Amino acid sequence: MELGIAGKQALVCAASKGLGKGCAMALAKEGAMVTILARQRDVLDQTAEEIRNQTGAQVNVVVADITTEEGRDIALAACPAPDILINNAGGPPPGDFRDWRQQHWFEAINGNMYSPIDMIRRTLDGMLERRFGRIVNITSAAVKQPVNALGLSNGARSGLTGFVAGISRDTARHNVTINNLLPGLFDTERGRGAAALIGGGSGLSADEYIETLPAGRLGMIDEFGATCAFLCSQHAAYITGQNILVDGGNYRGTF
Ligand code: NAP
């Protein structure tokens, strides 16, 4: 299927590794001009080269911390008018809520709620004027099915989810959509760590726990990226305000 996004400007946050990288690769394969962002230059440069080699796309790199005002200024100086914005950042640490104080919560809310909201604030009006925009927030399956030890993530990401539920209805008539992608467990550093954490709660090793998943395996970043690219396509203009699980069936609800 031709996704109709060749030549679009895509800004993919937190994209030198993992899910963000999967999204950047998939968008580049569709001919989007991709700007990828992360804090460590060496990995970022390697990833950019890999994407260029595999897709032939134009790939720009931005070294920045997306959870800071300065980092967001740098990101938008490099890609001032994105047609496609993928919001992503590292996740908060696991722990016991009894140990979390104001600073822990402020950091989680800053990284996983406020930062993506601020990126939306800074880019949305341009998309509305240009009559095309696709915003995808990478959140977590924990928004639907909380993991107690990831309480900071459950809480902060739910705040973002509530905000998006409101604003995403105001944009649809301008061909601008905002959706959340909810990863289950993926084959990334963070995903393997989460598998060990969740499995450990039942006395299982990470590999034993992964075997119990409906798919019997972790998700792959190219599978995640392909879903993201479809949401960013011309065909997905009628999908907005949704929370889309990509979890190999691990959420066991009927809906
Ligand atoms: P990952 O493999 O550890 O990759 C994280 C990427 O984000 C790296 O490129 C990292 O590069 C970049 N990054 C982290 N903090 C950043 C910051 N402040 N500013 C800019 N870039 C930053 O992680 P992942 O598995 O792809 O996870 C991505 C997000 O999805 C996380 O929030 C995670 O909690 C969530 N999630 C993941 C899974 C899963 O199974 N993988 C499941 C549910 C939710 P630098 O370190 O160089 O900045």
Side-chain angles (χ1 to χ4, degrees), residues 33-99:
M33 290 183 275
V34 175
T35 300
I36 59 172
L37 174 149
R39 295 164 301 178
Q40 295 172 62
R41 175 171 286 283
D42 50 348
V43 189
L44 196 58
D45 282 340
Q46 281 168 25
T47 298
E49 201 50 30
E50 197 182 324
I51 297 174
R52 285 184 201 110
N53 289 341
Q54 285 195 30
T55 67
Q58 181 186 315
V59 183
N60 300 321
V61 301
V62 179
V63 178
D65 181 341
I66 200 65
T67 67
T68 65
E69 285 287 326
E70 189 199 3
R72 293 190 289 277
D73 290 346
I74 295 169
L76 290 169
C79 184
D83 305 300
I84 294 169
L85 168 66
I86 312 301
N87 277 319
N88 186 29
D96 184 323
F97 87 94
R98 292 168 188 81
D99 299 327

Side-chain angles (χ1 to χ4, degrees), residues 14 16-17 19 39-40 65-66 88-89 157 184 186 188 190-191:
S16 64
K17 291 190 256 178
L19 302 176
R39 295 164 301 178
Q40 295 172 62
D65 181 341
I66 200 65
N88 186 29
R157 295 186 202 276
F186 276 78
T188 70
R190 176 86 181 178

